[in-house]
Amino acid sequence: MAYGIVHYFPGGTKEQYEASLAEVHPSRDSLPQGQIFHAAGPSEGGWTVVAVHDSKESWVRFRDGILMPRMQEGIEGGFPTPPQETAFDVHNMQP
């Protein structure tokens, strides 16, 4: 079952997002293994990222193996704090 993640970065900016994305995604034009959707943009008071993985296990591998280690190391120009996170089992996803 697909698994969705919503990350909200209070005070986050486009520049912080771009710096962070460059460190945690394989390239600007490709998604991490298991991720099937990615969208991001400014939201009230910060920046929001929405990702869908093909399974919860895929999300956990990305989170624990790539995302959190890089964020804990510190990404120059990236988001300075971890996001507020909401996760959910995807019931319906349309192209």
Side-chain angles (χ1 to χ4, degrees), residues 7-18 20 40-49 71 77-84:
H7 279 165
Y8 173 67
F9 294 89
T13 66
K14 178 182 177 184
E15 292 75 22
Q16 291 170 331
Y17 165 74
E18 293 292 342
S20 297
S43 53
E44 184 69 33
W47 195 266
T48 298
V49 178
M71 290 191 78
F79 295 117
T81 60
Q84 297 171 6

Side-chain angles (χ1 to χ4, degrees), residues 37-84:
F37 176 81
H38 180 96
S43 53
E44 184 69 33
W47 195 266
T48 298
V49 178
V50 178
V52 177
H53 282 255
D54 58 13
S55 66
K56 183 176 183 178
E57 293 75 21
S58 159
W59 159 244
V60 169
R61 277 192 305 275
F62 173 68
R63 180 194 68 199
D64 295 350
I66 297 172
L67 182 63
M68 292 314 294
R70 286 299 298 122
M71 290 191 78
Q72 289 169 349
E73 290 172 8
I75 296 172
E76 186 175 340
F79 295 117
T81 60
Q84 297 171 6

